[in-house]
Amino acid sequence: MPARTNKNAAPVVSTPFSRVLQSAASSNRAALDAKMTKEVIRTALALDPVRAETLGARFRPPVKLDPDKLRIDTWVRMDFDLDLDGKPLGDGTLASDAYGLSMSNPVGNGPAYVRATTFGTSTTNVVSIHPQGVYPAFYAKEGAIDVVFDRPTDSVSVDAYPINTTQCPETLTFCPSRPYMEAYDAQGALLAKALYPGNVPFSFSMGDGWQTIRIDRTSRDISRIRISCQQCGCTTPNKAVFDNLSDHFQLP
């Protein structure tokens, strides 16, 4: 089975997001105190996701800090194995609960789930529209996953693994459908679309396995993304699983 490729791989951080924010506000505390007011420090600490806040309200309105004071510029990865505090996520966990972002299936406004998978793709978790009891791979006829970010970003990536659930299709024909990612602005306008860059499964081939789909913008205007696998008329369509959703996070 093909291993994950490093091609087009996005830089990521290995520490939980809450610790990224906490370390920025607490390291060199004396120096920070000299450069910024206590109100600014309280504002930064208030971003800690473990605190009780209204879902979707974090980072709104944007925190206003002077450019020469507190600044965070990093990549944040949601690997669906651990939550933001480093705690393991169980099969069937609601993705939005684990990461504090709106993650839903636009078809019927259903939830997105953290799912365990061992179907030759990975021994770790992925994100899916299907609950426990259904294999996590999906395609556009079944739905998609919409992710709404608390702060607009200029770059997003996700790892995708296309799967054909029938290893030997009766027609032995090529199924052209690919995993994809779409990026939208705050008004819902489509900004860009990127397709899985590798070979997809067909006939007896399992394709190129894990590949990174990435969208980069010149401005921070990506407010929402959608991930799924293209719909086609094949009797045995390609589906996909997704992992390692990463976005470029900046504060302020």
Side-chain angles (χ1 to χ4, degrees), residues 123-140:
T123 56
T124 58
N125 295 339
V126 295
V127 63
S128 173
I129 64 173
H130 296 310
Q132 289 174 293
V134 181
Y135 186 71
F138 62 95
Y139 74 131

